Structures are given as C-alpha cells and as structure tokens.
Amino acid sequence: MHATATEVVQQQPQTHPLPHEQGPATVVERRVAWLCAGTGVALFLVMMLLGIAMRMSQADLVGIPDAWYYRLLTLHGAGMLVGALLVMMGALWFVLRPVVEMSAKRLLWAYGGLVVGAVLVLVASLVGGFATGWTFLSPLPFHPLGGWATWATATFFVGMLLVGAGFFLYCIELFTVTTNRYGGLGGALGIPYLLGRSEQAPPPQAIAATVIALDGMIASAGGTAIVVAMLNRTIDDGVVINALWAKNLTYFWGHTIANLIIYLAAGAIYVLLPRYAGRAWKTTKPLALGWLATLLFVATAFSHHLYMDFAQPGWAQYVSMGASSAAAIPVAVVTIYTGMMLIWGSLYRWTLASTLFYLGFLGWAIGGVGAVLDSLIPVNFTLHNTLWVPAHFHTYLLLGVMMWALAFVAHLTERAAGRAAPRWVAIAVPALLVVGGYLFVGAWYAAGALGVPRRYAEHPPGTQAYDVVGSVGALLVLAGVVLFLVTTVRLLLQARGRRAETLAPERDPEPRRVLVPPVTTNAGFAVVSGLAVVCALSLLPEAVELAERSAEAHHLSHAAQFALGGLVGLGVASRLALVRPVYGGMTWWALLAVVAAPVVMLLVMTPAIYDPLEGNEPLHLLFHWGIVVLGLITGWASVRFGRASGVAIFVLSVAMGLAFAGGVGG
Amino acid sequence: MRELTYSEPQIWIAIAFVIISALLVTAFVAIGRSSRREVPFEQVKAIGYGVRTWWLVGLVTVLTVGVVVSLFMLPYSNAQEPVGAAQEIAVKGGQYYWTVAPNEVAPGRVRFSVTSADVNHGLGIYSPKGHMLGSVQAMPGYENELDIQLDEPGEYLLSCLEMCGAGHHKMHAILKVAER
Ligand code: HEM
Ligand SMILES: [Cu+2]
C-alpha cells in the first residue's frame, strides 16, 4: 500500500484532513532537493563544530591559538553562508519547478560552483592559514604578517569567485525562466496584476524568485568586480585598490547575498507552510507590492556596514538607514503576518517539520528587530562591530534559516518515509534548538550591549560568564541537531525499500518557446547603434593615448571597448533572432560565455599583463580588440536568455567594467 | 582590555529590544495555541486584514520616528555645530598598535582624526569606567574625523574594532584626560 506523507499525517488525531496538493514531486526534484539540502546540512554540522570550538575558546573552556581562531572564523563564516545558500537554493528550486520549467543540469552547475568554491576556501584557511574573516576587506589579504602565503590568498579568491559564479548562474536560471514564462520582467513581478490590468498573477514563489534573482544578479556583478580586483592584486603588487571602494563592493555583495538567503527561504515557505496549515498562500496585491519594495530595499541597504566610515558619502548612509528600516515593512506586514494568518485557527498540523517551520518565523522576527535597531546610525555608533552584530545575524541565520533548513529536510523525510517523526522528538528537537539557540544569541546581545568587540579571539576580563552561557547554549543546539539527524536517518532507513512517497511523472521537457530578443524595435536598434558609436570612440588613437595617463582611465577605456563589442553582439544577434527565431533554452555555451567572458575582461586589467604590450603597437592593438571580442561574445550570448534576462546580463557585464574603473588603479 | 560596565544608551537599546522580543514571543505563543481550534479562514481574513492596516500604520510610524530622530543625533562631525576649540588628536592604526598624538588632553571636546598605516582598523573608545562610548573606522587613504566630549578625567582605552589580523584583539592604547 502506498502511504503518502499526507495520508500519514492525516492519521494523526485531532487534525483536519489536508485538503489539497501535497504537490507530488518528480524523481528529479526529489534528488535535487536532497542533494542541496544534504550538502548544506553537512556543511552546517561541520561549521557548527568549528563555531562551538571558537565560542568555547572565548570562554576559556578549550584553548585555540589566536592565529587558528581567526582561520576558523573565516572558514565558519564563509562555510555557513554557502551551506545556508545551498539548502535554500534547493528549497526554492524544489517549489518553483512545478510551476516553471527549470533544468536540473543547470542547477548542478551552480551547485558545483558553490561546493568547489567552499572546498577551496576550506583549503585556503585550514591549510594555507588564510584568516581575514569572510569579508576579506582590502588590503588585509595582502598584509598577512607571515600568517599565510600568496597561494592561500589566490586559492581563497578563486574559491569566492566560484561561489559567486555558482550563485550568479542560479539567479540567471531563475530570472530567465520566470521572465520568459510570465511575459517579461513586469509580468513576473506581477505588475499588470497590481495595476488591475490582469486578473492573473504569478504564484508567490515565482514573484519571490524574480526579485531574488534580480537582486542576486546585481549583487553578483559587484561581487565579481571586487573578487577579480583582489585576484589582480594577488597576481600583481602594482595594483592599487581603493579601500573605501573595496569595502563598498564587499558589502554590496556580501551583505546582499547573506540577506537574500532568508528571502530564498521565504519563497519556499510560501509553498511548504500551506501544506501543514491546509490553507493556500496566494498572490495578493500587498504581496506583489511587498516584493517590489523588497527589490529596492535589499539592493540599497548594504551601506549600513559603512556607517562608521565617515568618508562614505552622506547620502549613501541616509539611503541605507531608510532602506534598512523600510525593508522590515514587507517582511513584517506581508510575509510574516500572512504566515501567521494562515496558521491562526487552522488546526495546524504540528509535526517535526511544521514546528520548525513555525519557529523559524520567530528567529526572523527577533533577528530583524536586532538588525533594525542597529541600522539606526546613533545606535550603530555604540554597537558597531560589537557582539551585538553576530547576535542579531545568528538570530535570523541560526534560529531562522537553519531552523527552516532542518524543517525542509524533515519535510522531505516525512514525505519519503510516509510518516512523521515520533512525537517526543518533534518536541525535544525544537525545544533544544529554541532554548539553546536563544541562550546562545542572548549571551551575545548582552555582551554586545556591554561593548565587547566581535571577532576577538580573547574577550575582556570579567566577560567570561557570557561566553560560558553562550557555549552551553551552543552545545544544546548541537544536541538538538544531532537528535534531529539521528531521527531523520532512522526514518529514512526504515522507509527503505518501501515506496512511501507517490512521485509525479517527470515533467515535460522545456517547451521550445520562441524567445523575444533584447532588441526588437527600430528605435531600439537605433539606440544600440548610437551607443556603439560612442563606445567606438575609445578605439581612436587619441582616446587610446588619453587612456594611458592613468590606470583608472585605462580601465574606463576597456569598459567602453567591452561595451562596444557587447552592443554589436547584442544588436546583431537580436536582428538575426527576428529573422530566424531563437527558441527557448539556455545553452551551456551561452551560460559559460556570459559568466566567463566578463571575468576574463576584468582579469586582464592587470598592469603586469598589459604593460609589456604597451611598447609593441600591434600586440597592444590586438589586446584592445581582444576586449572588444570578449564583449561581443557576452552580448551575442545574452540574446539566448530572452529580453529581460538578456538585457540584465549584458548591462551588468558592462557595469562590472565600469565599477572596476571606479576603484582599481596601479 | 579592561573590565567593562553597562552604560547609556546601550541599556535603553537593550531594554527596547527585550520588550519588543517579549511581545513577539507572546504573539507567537498565542498564534500557536490558536491553531488548536478551528476558525474559518474567511473569518480570520475579515479580522486579520483589519488588524493588518493598523499594524502597518503603527510600524511605519515607529520606524519613521526612529529614522527621523536618528538624523538629529548623528555622530558625523560635519552634521554637528562647529565646536570651536576642540582639541585635535591624530590617531593612526597599524598592525597591531595605535599612535595617538597627543596622548594626553584636557577634559572637554576633542576631535579624533583617524587613519591607518596599513589595513582597516576601527577605533573603539572606552571611558575610564569601561563604558563603550562609540567608534569610528580607521581606513587607509582616508581621514575620518570624530568629535566627542570627554569630560571625565582618567585613562580612556582605545581598542581596535575592525578585524586586522591575528593580533586584532591585542591592539589597544591609552588616552589620558587630565584632571580639571
Ligand atoms: C550553534 C551554531 C553556531 C555557533 C556555535 C556559531 C559560532 C560562531 C562564533 C563563535 C562566531 C564568531 C563570533 C565573533 O567572535 O565575532 C561566529 C561568526 C559567524 N557565524 Fe556562526 N555559529 C553558529 C551558527 C551559524 C549559522 C547557522 C550561520 C549561518 C547560516 C553562521 C554564520 C556566521 C557568520 C557569517 C559569522 C561571521 C564570521 C566573521 O566574523 O567573519 N553561524 N559564529
Ligand atoms: Cu583590529
């Protein structure tokens, strides 16, 4: 007999029958979900052990040498974020695939980038001793004082580049499928529906995916620029990176991605929570409006990491303060509030999975309060870089995201095993996580208000009591996670051989839908040609000479040459696509081209590479034409992604070059 | 470092945080319990949407007040009134030391001009009693100016607040404020 998770859950007493859609998954979806969630949770476990070691060393319960503390810190931060990203990328993919066509193969590329990147970061920190914190603020990586070698720096940044590329690929996938499926960017954001022009709106997880993907792509462009700049500086000591520029880009990337993790999770929750509440989470106008606001606020909040850099332009600080506070509104008023409405009086089915789903909201909410308080500039003046900061982000990462990650694994387990975890486990695991987790972050909030700095291998005298309480809390969390893992593994083993879960037949292959190319109208072609002519001026001998005056000018001219090639590629390929339609489907070469070509363009902007050519006219000319060709490849390939996605990819690749010119000299 | 003590405004920030968190926990417990009896969704929506409007209005008000009040309490020196005769203190951070010139001043208004000799550092200022007063970043290539009132005589502790390498937590210096 087949017993689906739904049926089993239904057998529990005093609960209503789940009315609808357990949304059977296909074999592929199930595998992808397990792969991402499994890898992510494995990373969590390892990084958690490192975290506990660090915490206990601050409490003087174990001894870790200072240099090792900072290595572990670097690895823990980067590893945890990659783990959390992996689980949530998988979860959103899992709930999105039933409504839009997505390719598992392409997801695996993204997965590979993140995993290989994480391994390189691990090697750089544990073997190479690299220890700058995961935020790698320039120029610290180049001032190791004997702590690590150049190869470790290079390994770390190649790792970061791969992590970034993996997430970029994932975002391209989401953005391309949603915008092509729902009639462009506006359609995928639900704008016609908001304006009352259409009754139909994309489902909530698709709107979320569009917003996340667009912000993720924009952030990735910034991330590529800073990481490649750091690589250039690793190769060539002559490269000079402006420290303020570097810090801006580091946080534009790092903050935004870390923040997006929780939004990825929210997108998945839209589908998973209703399965336990028995009420559907539908797209409403507040929801669509909320995500539009989120699109804006997530992309503009990062500068709160630079509040205490008085050299940062004032407007950036004020925009950030507004955006950081305002970002709480859609979260609190739309997502969390609606979630609570779905649960209120619903005869919610309290299983291990659903309890953890519920508790994750609390972590998000409380962590958000800690964050909003700290995003007020006068408050930040006294809390900046104190333990208040890890306190608030562990509240929503550990007690929000990790809670949801475990919930997702439990959900998959309950489905696969056809039964829920024993009742005592469904109580004990959440209890351990909540008691331990809030004790753990509570000690940090208190110590942060006291002024204890974050990222200190040793804490001030008289504060060890906080560290001991924090360590005890962390150990309770570990106990909860171990009990959780033992339970899920046992459930899965018991279910082996028994096909408990009904699986959906594999979905149709991607339809060969005709893509709308980026440029279609005569006016559009005129604009593209005009811009190309302007960019072509950068190839004139006078311009080339002017560009020799400073490295920044030189980089600017490279950006223009890249844009020239890109515009030509974009225009010609669009024109051809109008004559002979391009059908849907991102090919591997197109993906490779749009990710790799801009990176190569940035990588060669290293004086050690181009200076030797300067004396040799033909070679120098060839070098510049090479940049034009890289642009051509990017522009040509971007047409394969349809209108919204193609334009975004192309514009962002040029933006990388421009951003580079803004802060990298030599 | 030295023993630290709680001070304003952190006490008030922490109290606000605890109160709001307690309210949230209460709401979560109530919602969790409500799920045990059935309420038709139509009814939940009818009441819930009404409450939501007030929730929105309340939240927007609180956030707006917070942001606007903050704009009047900025630590940035150019946002404050000219302070006249503030005593200038040049501070430079390096792996892992501070140079502070002069390292003794009279009580009153001081202006820290902060920069770095190598990587990013952060200048955290702790009062003689161990109050965390505030911080400003030390960034290579930039000069950050912080105006602050140091009335209490004694030894102020300057500690690094930006990760700068394996000796980060050992990067401290003393600034003396003389007796009046
Ligand atoms: C029981 C679980 C955990 C423990 C014991 C733990 C412990 C720690 C400790 C001791 C630090 C250093 C704090 C400091 O002194 O500044 C830290 C930093 C950090 N943790 Fe965790 N953590 C846990 C879970 C997580 C999770 C789930 C995430 C993300 C999903 C995470 C992400 C981070 C990040 C990004 C940092 C900052 C690293 C840096 O400053 O460069 N942690 N954690
Ligand atoms: Cu430091």
Side-chain angles (χ1 to χ4, degrees):
Chain A
M1 211 199 81
H2 294 259
T4 64
T6 329
E7 283 162 356
V8 173
V9 179
Q10 276 165 13
Q11 287 157 16
Q12 291 181 355
Q14 19 98 336
T15 39
H16 61 87
L18 270 188
H20 58 84
E21 14 142 335
Q22 197 58 288
T26 70
V27 174
V28 168
E29 283 155 13
R30 205 165 86 139
R31 283 199 188 138
V32 165
W34 273 113
L35 180 69
C36 292
T39 316
V41 170
L43 267 174
F44 274 150
L45 189 64
V46 177
M47 297 302 146
M48 187 183 298
L49 293 174
L50 299 186
I52 291 173
M54 291 191 297
R55 198 72 188 98
M56 289 178 68
S57 138
Q58 289 169 332
D60 289 335
L61 297 172
V62 299
I64 297 181
D66 294 348
W68 272 93
Y69 177 87
Y70 293 108
R71 291 174 192 178
L72 297 186
L73 179 74
T74 306
L75 177 58
H76 170 86
M80 276 291 191
L81 291 174
V82 171
L85 254 182
L86 275 174
V87 182
M88 291 313 163
M89 282 163 60
L92 184 59
W93 196 90
F94 183 71
V95 301
L96 200 58
R97 182 129 185 291
V99 292
V100 291
E101 311 86 19
M102 291 190 299
S103 139
K105 215 192 277 163
R106 290 193 298 263
L107 184 95
L108 287 182
W109 280 103
Y111 170 89
L114 280 141
V115 171
V116 176
V119 169
L120 291 183
V121 169
L122 188 128
V123 170
S125 56
L126 291 188
V127 183
F130 188 80
T132 63
W134 75 280
T135 46
F136 60 82
L137 286 187
S138 182
L140 181 54
F142 317 112
H143 291 258
L145 294 194
W148 59 89
T150 309
W151 73 261
T153 313
T155 307
F156 177 82
F157 284 114
V158 172
M160 282 303 201
L161 192 62
L162 286 176
V163 168
F167 187 62
F168 190 36
L169 277 177
Y170 179 80
C171 291
I172 290 178
E173 169 88 10
L174 293 194
F175 195 65
T176 306
V177 294
T178 56
T179 52
N180 285 321
R181 166 80 173 71
Y182 297 106
L185 177 58
L189 291 172
I191 291 185
Y193 165 73
L194 263 181
L195 297 178
R197 285 209 226 107
S198 160
E199 290 291 294
Q200 297 270 312
Q205 73 268 37
I207 295 184
T210 311
V211 168
I212 292 162
L214 186 52
D215 273 342
M217 285 161 73
I218 296 173
S220 297
T224 309
I226 178 67
V227 173
V228 176
M230 300 299 274
L231 270 173
N232 292 3
R233 169 67 179 74
T234 312
I235 300 167
D236 179 355
D237 289 348
V239 172
V240 179
I241 301 176
N242 178 306
L244 185 60
W245 175 87
K247 191 169 180 183
N248 268 291
L249 281 186
T250 289
Y251 283 112
F252 180 57
W253 184 46
H255 167 83
T256 309
I257 303 275
N259 199 186
L260 283 176
I261 296 176
I262 201 148
Y263 289 98
L264 283 164
I269 298 285
Y270 285 148
V271 179
L272 300 175
L273 191 78
R275 293 185 180 165
Y276 298 92
R279 294 168 175 172
W281 201 321
K282 297 203 185 105
T283 298
T284 57
K285 290 196 175 164
L287 186 139
L289 202 62
W291 279 97
L292 266 187
T294 298
L295 178 67
L296 185 70
F297 298 148
V298 168
T300 48
F302 75 96
S303 176
H304 55 225
H305 287 268
L306 289 97
Y307 280 161
M308 294 307 124
D309 283 284
F310 296 0
Q312 175 84 336
W315 61 264
Q317 314 284 35
Y318 308 138
V319 165
S320 173
M321 180 156 64
S324 309
S325 306
I329 296 170
V331 172
V333 177
V334 184
T335 299
I336 297 186
Y337 191 87
T338 311
M340 297 303 107
M341 266 174 56
L342 289 191
I343 290 172
W344 186 278
S346 68
L347 296 184
Y348 190 67
R349 226 170 258 288
W350 295 98
T351 68
L352 178 56
S354 70
T355 308
L356 295 175
F357 275 130
Y358 185 62
L359 290 172
F361 280 99
L362 186 62
W364 195 6
I366 294 184
V369 175
V372 169
L373 281 170
D374 196 21
S375 79
L376 300 173
I377 296 172
V379 174
N380 189 266
F381 183 55
T382 61
L383 294 182
H384 182 70
N385 279 351
T386 67
L387 285 175
W388 186 279
V389 179
H392 92 256
F393 72 69
H394 280 82
T395 312
Y396 58 70
L397 288 178
L398 173 65
L399 291 158
V401 170
M402 202 182 84
M403 203 74 105
W404 280 337
L406 298 182
F408 182 53
V409 171
H411 177 72
L412 295 175
T413 306
E414 284 171 6
R415 294 168 66 117
R419 70 164 80 160
R423 213 176 148 65
W424 74 271
V425 175
I427 293 169
V429 167
L432 282 168
L433 295 181
V434 165
V435 174
Y438 284 97
L439 212 56
F440 171 62
V441 295
W444 265 344
Y445 281 112
L450 186 58
V452 181
R454 74 181 283 203
R455 291 172 158 172
Y456 262 32
E458 280 163 38
H459 281 170
T463 56
Q464 267 68 26
Y466 297 95
D467 301 330
V468 171
V469 171
S471 301
V472 170
L475 288 170
L476 291 177
V477 171
L478 178 68
V481 172
V482 169
L483 177 59
F484 174 90
L485 291 177
V486 170
T487 308
T488 41
V489 169
R490 279 189 54 187
L491 274 176
L492 290 172
L493 286 180
Q494 282 166 9
R496 236 181 14 180
R498 227 164 25 90
R499 265 252 152 272
E501 183 179 3
T502 7
L503 288 176
E506 205 36 63
R507 303 188 197 287
D508 294 338
E510 286 176 79
R512 288 172 54 80
R513 193 179 285 128
V514 182
L515 286 182
V516 183
V519 196
T520 46
T521 59
N522 284 338
F525 283 108
V527 171
V528 167
S529 315
L531 285 173
V533 170
V534 174
C535 292
L537 295 180
S538 68
L539 283 169
L540 292 180
E542 290 82 356
V544 170
E545 191 170 325
L546 211 65
E548 299 304 317
R549 300 240 175 106
S550 78
E552 284 83 356
H554 198 177
H555 294 163
L556 195 64
S557 78
H558 285 180
Q561 289 150 11
F562 181 86
L564 164 66
L567 287 160
V568 171
L570 188 82
V572 173
S574 292
R575 189 90 237 179
L576 288 179
L578 287 181
V579 182
R580 211 154 46 87
V582 176
Y583 294 98
M586 293 163 253
T587 52
W588 67 268
W589 68 262
L591 277 168
L592 188 68
V594 298
V595 174
V599 169
V600 175
M601 176 256 302
L602 297 179
L603 263 179
V604 297
M605 291 204 216
T606 306
I609 294 177
Y610 59 71
D611 271 352
L613 306 177
E614 228 108 278
N616 183 329
E617 259 326 296
L619 267 185
H620 189 197
L621 205 66
L622 206 66
F623 176 76
H624 282 218
W625 277 102
I627 293 194
V628 175
V629 171
L630 287 170
L632 190 80
I633 294 173
T634 310
W636 190 282
S638 64
V639 172
R640 301 290 313 190
F641 299 85
R643 180 174 228 154
S645 198
V647 171
I649 289 169
F650 171 67
V651 169
L652 287 173
S653 69
V654 175
M656 286 182 212
L658 291 176
F660 216 78
V664 184
Chain B
M1 272 191 89
R2 64 173 53 161
E3 300 237 354
L4 303 179
T5 45
Y6 284 105
S7 64
E8 291 173 12
Q10 288 97 319
I11 291 180
W12 297 112
I13 298 163
I15 290 177
F17 175 70
V18 169
I19 292 176
I20 300 171
S21 301
L23 288 175
L24 284 171
V25 170
T26 312
F28 265 72
V29 172
I31 293 161
R33 293 173 75 101
S34 79
S35 75
R36 292 211 226 121
R37 67 197 153 77
E38 187 160 16
V39 183
F41 196 33
E42 291 312 313
Q43 199 179 322
V44 175
K45 281 200 271 194
I47 299 170
Y49 286 149
V51 174
R52 173 150 84 179
T53 309
W54 288 107
W55 173 219
L56 174 68
V57 171
L59 189 66
V60 171
T61 311
V62 170
L63 291 173
T64 310
V65 170
V67 168
V68 171
V69 170
S70 292
L71 286 174
F72 288 96
M73 301 171 63
L74 297 176
Y76 307 141
S77 52
N78 59 359
Q80 293 174 353
E81 307 186 354
V83 282
Q87 308 167 79
E88 286 255 357
I89 306 177
V91 177
K92 189 176 243 182
Q95 286 168 311
Y96 305 102
Y97 61 88
W98 293 107
T99 58
V100 185
N103 59 9
E104 180 160 353
V105 290
R109 195 112 194 121
V110 300
R111 165 166 292 181
F112 286 104
S113 291
V114 185
T115 187
S116 164
D118 40 45
V119 303
N120 285 285
H121 301 279
L123 180 75
I125 306 162
Y126 294 85
S127 82
K129 294 208 186 81
H131 291 173
M132 183 341 136
L133 298 179
S135 75
V136 56
Q137 295 291 123
M139 181 177 267
Y142 290 87
E143 191 110 332
N144 289 324
E145 294 197 330
L146 169 68
D147 291 346
I148 192 168
Q149 196 75 23
L150 300 182
D151 289 331
E152 191 185 331
E155 295 194 338
Y156 285 73
L157 178 72
L158 308 178
S159 294
C160 187
L161 279 193
E162 185 64 75
M163 167 79 186
C164 58
H168 168 48
H169 59 285
K170 294 184 181 148
M171 189 171 153
H172 310 286
I174 296 288
L175 170 71
K176 260 203 170 123
V177 172
E179 295 286 340
R180 226 174 262 277

mmCIF file of all heavy atoms in Angstrom, chain A residues 456, chain B residues 96 120-122 160-165 167-169 171, ligand 2:
data_model
loop_
_atom_site.group_PDB
_atom_site.id
_atom_site.type_symbol
_atom_site.label_atom_id
_atom_site.label_comp_id
_atom_site.label_asym_id
_atom_site.label_seq_id
_atom_site.Cartn_x
_atom_site.Cartn_y
_atom_site.Cartn_z
ATOM 1 N N TYR A 456 36.968 38.811 18.367
ATOM 2 C CA TYR A 456 38.100 38.860 19.289
ATOM 3 C C TYR A 456 38.387 37.448 19.748
ATOM 4 O O TYR A 456 37.512 36.791 20.304
ATOM 5 C CB TYR A 456 37.768 39.736 20.514
ATOM 6 C CG TYR A 456 38.295 41.155 20.440
ATOM 7 C CD1 TYR A 456 38.414 41.806 19.220
ATOM 8 C CD2 TYR A 456 38.670 41.845 21.599
ATOM 9 C CE1 TYR A 456 38.886 43.109 19.157
ATOM 10 C CE2 TYR A 456 39.143 43.149 21.540
ATOM 11 C CZ TYR A 456 39.251 43.777 20.319
ATOM 12 O OH TYR A 456 39.712 45.064 20.258
ATOM 13 N N TYR B 96 50.089 45.843 15.055
ATOM 14 C CA TYR B 96 48.873 45.977 15.837
ATOM 15 C C TYR B 96 49.135 47.000 16.921
ATOM 16 O O TYR B 96 49.514 46.655 18.025
ATOM 17 C CB TYR B 96 48.505 44.623 16.473
ATOM 18 C CG TYR B 96 48.403 43.518 15.422
ATOM 19 C CD1 TYR B 96 49.411 42.593 15.233
ATOM 20 C CD2 TYR B 96 47.272 43.452 14.577
ATOM 21 C CE1 TYR B 96 49.316 41.609 14.252
ATOM 22 C CE2 TYR B 96 47.187 42.463 13.598
ATOM 23 C CZ TYR B 96 48.207 41.555 13.440
ATOM 24 O OH TYR B 96 48.126 40.592 12.459
ATOM 25 N N ASN B 120 42.495 48.075 7.294
ATOM 26 C CA ASN B 120 41.391 48.712 8.014
ATOM 27 C C ASN B 120 41.471 48.370 9.504
ATOM 28 O O ASN B 120 41.706 47.216 9.876
ATOM 29 C CB ASN B 120 40.048 48.198 7.493
ATOM 30 C CG ASN B 120 39.699 48.781 6.146
ATOM 31 O OD1 ASN B 120 39.313 49.944 6.046
ATOM 32 N ND2 ASN B 120 39.839 47.983 5.096
ATOM 33 N N HIS B 121 41.270 49.389 10.326
ATOM 34 C CA HIS B 121 41.116 49.177 11.761
ATOM 35 C C HIS B 121 39.868 49.937 12.193
ATOM 36 O O HIS B 121 39.267 50.660 11.393
ATOM 37 C CB HIS B 121 42.321 49.707 12.541
ATOM 38 C CG HIS B 121 43.627 49.075 12.156
ATOM 39 N ND1 HIS B 121 44.027 47.855 12.633
ATOM 40 C CD2 HIS B 121 44.603 49.484 11.310
ATOM 41 C CE1 HIS B 121 45.205 47.549 12.117
ATOM 42 N NE2 HIS B 121 45.579 48.520 11.289
ATOM 43 N N GLY B 122 39.502 49.766 13.454
ATOM 44 C CA GLY B 122 38.378 50.539 13.987
ATOM 45 C C GLY B 122 38.769 51.094 15.330
ATOM 46 O O GLY B 122 39.359 50.383 16.148
ATOM 47 N N CYS B 160 40.909 48.194 19.087
ATOM 48 C CA CYS B 160 40.602 48.022 17.672
ATOM 49 C C CYS B 160 39.258 47.326 17.490
ATOM 50 O O CYS B 160 38.971 46.320 18.132
ATOM 51 C CB CYS B 160 41.686 47.225 16.964
ATOM 52 S SG CYS B 160 41.395 47.208 15.187
ATOM 53 N N LEU B 161 38.434 47.873 16.611
ATOM 54 C CA LEU B 161 37.110 47.304 16.358
ATOM 55 C C LEU B 161 36.940 46.856 14.908
ATOM 56 O O LEU B 161 35.824 46.742 14.430
ATOM 57 C CB LEU B 161 36.020 48.323 16.693
ATOM 58 C CG LEU B 161 35.644 48.466 18.178
ATOM 59 C CD1 LEU B 161 34.365 49.246 18.321
ATOM 60 C CD2 LEU B 161 35.493 47.115 18.843
ATOM 61 N N GLU B 162 38.039 46.679 14.196
ATOM 62 C CA GLU B 162 37.889 46.088 12.855
ATOM 63 C C GLU B 162 38.945 45.008 12.712
ATOM 64 O O GLU B 162 40.128 45.251 12.944
ATOM 65 C CB GLU B 162 38.033 47.144 11.757
ATOM 66 C CG GLU B 162 37.782 46.644 10.347
ATOM 67 C CD GLU B 162 36.341 46.174 10.121
ATOM 68 O OE1 GLU B 162 35.436 47.022 10.006
ATOM 69 O OE2 GLU B 162 36.136 44.947 10.094
ATOM 70 N N MET B 163 38.498 43.833 12.327
ATOM 71 C CA MET B 163 39.380 42.679 12.119
ATOM 72 C C MET B 163 40.604 43.085 11.297
ATOM 73 O O MET B 163 40.463 43.566 10.173
ATOM 74 C CB MET B 163 38.557 41.635 11.363
ATOM 75 C CG MET B 163 39.332 40.508 10.783
ATOM 76 S SD MET B 163 39.698 39.340 12.074
ATOM 77 C CE MET B 163 40.748 38.265 11.144
ATOM 78 N N CYS B 164 41.812 42.918 11.881
ATOM 79 C CA CYS B 164 43.006 43.397 11.187
ATOM 80 C C CYS B 164 44.132 42.385 11.208
ATOM 81 O O CYS B 164 45.271 42.709 10.897
ATOM 82 C CB CYS B 164 43.468 44.724 11.791
ATOM 83 S SG CYS B 164 43.831 44.605 13.546
ATOM 84 N N GLY B 165 43.821 41.140 11.594
ATOM 85 C CA GLY B 165 44.865 40.128 11.617
ATOM 86 C C GLY B 165 44.874 39.406 12.950
ATOM 87 O O GLY B 165 44.012 39.625 13.795
ATOM 88 N N GLY B 167 46.571 39.653 15.521
ATOM 89 C CA GLY B 167 46.770 40.394 16.759
ATOM 90 C C GLY B 167 45.669 41.410 17.032
ATOM 91 O O GLY B 167 45.802 42.284 17.890
ATOM 92 N N HIS B 168 44.578 41.275 16.295
ATOM 93 C CA HIS B 168 43.486 42.250 16.353
ATOM 94 C C HIS B 168 43.019 42.541 17.784
ATOM 95 O O HIS B 168 42.843 43.688 18.189
ATOM 96 C CB HIS B 168 42.340 41.716 15.492
ATOM 97 C CG HIS B 168 41.047 42.420 15.635
ATOM 98 N ND1 HIS B 168 40.946 43.787 15.596
ATOM 99 C CD2 HIS B 168 39.783 41.949 15.800
ATOM 100 C CE1 HIS B 168 39.674 44.120 15.731
ATOM 101 N NE2 HIS B 168 38.952 43.019 15.869
ATOM 102 N N HIS B 169 42.861 41.480 18.583
ATOM 103 C CA HIS B 169 42.318 41.669 19.928
ATOM 104 C C HIS B 169 43.365 42.188 20.908
ATOM 105 O O HIS B 169 43.066 42.380 22.077
ATOM 106 C CB HIS B 169 41.735 40.347 20.428
ATOM 107 C CG HIS B 169 42.748 39.241 20.477
ATOM 108 N ND1 HIS B 169 43.192 38.597 19.333
ATOM 109 C CD2 HIS B 169 43.436 38.704 21.497
ATOM 110 C CE1 HIS B 169 44.094 37.685 19.670
ATOM 111 N NE2 HIS B 169 44.255 37.726 20.982
ATOM 112 N N MET B 171 45.166 44.960 20.157
ATOM 113 C CA MET B 171 45.523 46.287 19.664
ATOM 114 C C MET B 171 44.834 47.354 20.508
ATOM 115 O O MET B 171 43.703 47.747 20.230
ATOM 116 C CB MET B 171 45.092 46.353 18.194
ATOM 117 C CG MET B 171 45.575 47.572 17.478
ATOM 118 S SD MET B 171 45.227 47.392 15.729
ATOM 119 C CE MET B 171 45.091 49.120 15.307
HETATM 120 CU CU CU C 2 41.873 45.173 14.545
#
